[in-house]
């Protein structure tokens, strides 16, 4: 079976690598990924993680600015792939996803129809879910709404951050991608419309800067979930008023619920909106390195306050 693989970030690389290295009956005829973008202080063009792997593996790479571009669409048609596989890519037009005879399937980082949207892993943790997973589904007209092929679930630990969940989903997602390819190739894949699952859809919109701001009027548990749902990237943030009256911003990477326990001596704690307490464990003040909160406190004279 001949496929074209669409993807950009590291999350997609594990699946691409597994397909290329382990699925001997699958030919990855081409990879489609984002164009190189300027990055870093020198603004040098940076390749996507998927492109870097594809080049190392000798797989042809396509990088269209617009997916409706006639030359790009003609190139895809000339490849004559049986199936397209999409992982962590942008929204695709019907002229592309409807092209291959076996369809186009996507690997999504949630248990659809829960958490449809751009940031499903983040929102599952932010909302305090104890379970999430990955889903393969065939693309259709509306984003993340196509019929489900297969799902695989994992539990989320009460103090686990999104970085850890992301890594685990990346690996089980690769397993599910390979299984889905095998099922489609063998003609045994059965797709179920999402409306038939009886599960209410949940939105997982893009994360913006203001989404990441800590609201100290909320409960300690909600703040704790926000912090771990954004750690290590893009990271929750807050303003800190220093003892001298100046104000700095700081990213917060780790917290601990005190649950009625006394605050440890020398710790950076906050009383939250419902009267519960939370301890900041790790942060990065603007212009500073990432550090333990205890080290941050030792570097200042007096008591800072959160706002």
């Amino acid at each position: 079976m001949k496929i074209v693989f669409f993807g950009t970030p590291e999350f997609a690389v594990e699946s691409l690598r597994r397909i290329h290295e382990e699925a001997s009956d699958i030919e990855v005829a081409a990879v489609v990924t984002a164009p190189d973008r300027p990055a870093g202080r020198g603004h040098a063009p940076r390749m996507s993680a998927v492109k870097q792997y594809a080049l190392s593996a000798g797989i042809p790479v396509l990088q269209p600015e617009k997916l409706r571009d006639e030359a790009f669409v003609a190139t895809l048609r000339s490849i004559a792939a049986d199936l397209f596989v999409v992982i962590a890519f942008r929204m695709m037009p019907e002229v592309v996803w409807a092209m291959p005879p076996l369809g186009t399937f996507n690997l999504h980082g949630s248990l659809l129809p829960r958490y449809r949207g751009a940031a499903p892993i983040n929102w599952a943790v932010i909302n305090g879910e104890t379970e999430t997973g990955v889903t393969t589904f065939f693309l259709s007209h509306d984003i993340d709404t196509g019929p489900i092929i297969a799902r695989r679930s994992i539990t989320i630990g009460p103090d686990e951050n999104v970085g850890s969940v992301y890594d685990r989903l990346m690996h089980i997602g690769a397993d599910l991608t390979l299984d889905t390819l095998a099922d489609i190739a063998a003609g045994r894949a059965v797709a179920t419309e999402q409306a038939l699952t009886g599960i209410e859809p949940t939105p997982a919109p893009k994360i913006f800067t203001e989404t990441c701001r800590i609201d100290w009027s909320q409960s300690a548990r909600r703040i704790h979930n926000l912090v771990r749902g954004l750690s290590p990237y893009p990271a929750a943030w807050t303003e800190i008023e220093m003892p001298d009256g100046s104000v700095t911003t700081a990213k917060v990477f780790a917290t601990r619920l005190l649950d009625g326990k006394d605050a440890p001596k020398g710790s950076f704690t906050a009383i939250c909106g419902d009267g519960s307490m939370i301890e900041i464990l790790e942060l990065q003040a603007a212009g500073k390195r990432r550090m333990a909160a205890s080290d941050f406190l030792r570097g200042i004279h007096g008591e800072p306050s959160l706002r």
Side-chain angles (χ1 to χ4, degrees):
M1 184 166 65
K2 184 191 293 187
I3 71 168
V4 173
F5 185 95
F6 295 71
T8 295
E10 180 188 7
F11 189 83
V13 173
E14 181 65 11
S15 291
L16 175 60
R17 183 190 68 78
R18 294 276 305 278
I19 295 168
H20 180 68
E21 297 179 9
E22 298 178 21
S24 58
D25 56 341
I26 304 292
E27 176 194 353
V28 184
V31 158
V32 182
T33 191
D36 298 354
R37 301 297 187 198
R41 290 184 178 179
H43 300 288
R46 178 175 294 176
M47 297 184 291
S48 73
V50 163
K51 180 180 178 179
Q52 291 177 50
Y53 175 80
L55 292 179
S56 72
I59 303 171
V61 175
L62 302 174
Q63 295 178 275
E65 286 285 350
K66 296 181 179 179
L67 297 177
R68 296 180 187 273
D69 179 80
E70 292 182 5
F72 168 67
V73 172
T75 299
L76 276 185
R77 286 203 179 98
S78 70
I79 293 171
D82 302 297
L83 179 75
F84 291 167
V85 178
V86 182
I87 303 177
F89 196 65
R90 54 187 144 154
M91 189 171 180
M92 293 173 59
E94 184 175 1
V95 68
V96 174
W97 59 257
M99 186 183 300
L102 295 180
T104 297
F105 83 81
N106 176 246
L107 173 75
H108 187 73
S110 80
L111 297 173
L112 288 173
R114 302 295 305 275
Y115 296 103
R116 293 173 176 168
I121 307 175
N122 298 92
W123 283 108
V125 181
I126 290 169
N127 288 341
E129 300 285 359
T130 58
E131 181 186 51
T132 189
V134 285
T135 303
T136 50
F137 69 97
F138 285 113
L139 291 193
S140 61
H141 290 91
D142 296 321
I143 190 166
D144 297 340
T145 61
I148 292 169
I149 306 167
R151 293 188 291 185
R152 197 159 295 174
S153 64
I154 62 169
T155 58
I156 303 174
D159 295 312
E160 188 174 12
N161 69 23
V162 74
S164 172
V165 177
Y166 178 100
D167 287 344
R168 291 198 290 137
L169 290 181
M170 179 172 64
H171 289 285
I172 71 162
D175 291 339
L176 188 60
T177 297
L178 287 175
D179 289 347
T180 299
L181 281 168
D183 287 345
I184 291 173
R188 58 176 178 260
V190 178
T192 303
E193 295 295 334
Q194 292 189 32
L196 298 179
T197 64
I199 300 171
E200 191 69 22
T202 311
K206 186 176 179 179
I207 301 287
F208 294 97
T209 301
E210 200 54 34
T211 312
C212 304
R213 183 168 189 168
I214 298 172
D215 178 359
W216 297 103
S217 69
Q218 294 186 337
S219 70
R221 184 162 298 279
R222 289 197 63 173
I223 293 168
H224 180 63
N225 289 342
L226 178 73
V227 169
R228 63 194 188 91
L230 297 170
S231 180
Y233 182 83
W237 66 276
T238 188
E239 288 185 338
I240 302 177
E241 184 172 343
M242 305 297 278
D244 64 1
S246 63
V247 176
T248 186
T249 58
K251 294 180 178 180
V252 179
F253 295 100
T255 54
R256 182 167 68 97
L257 296 171
L258 293 177
D259 292 328
K261 301 173 186 175
D262 291 334
K265 186 177 180 179
S267 62
F268 196 174
T269 60
I271 299 176
C272 304
D274 62 348
S276 56
M277 291 187 68
I278 193 169
E279 180 186 0
I280 297 174
L281 300 177
E282 194 173 356
L283 53 72
Q284 182 176 14
K288 304 292 184 180
R289 62 176 178 84
R290 182 171 168 173
M291 66 181 72
S294 56
D295 293 336
F296 172 77
L297 292 178
R298 278 193 290 269
I300 61 178
H301 302 288
E303 292 293 326
S305 60
L306 299 164
R307 46 185 264 183

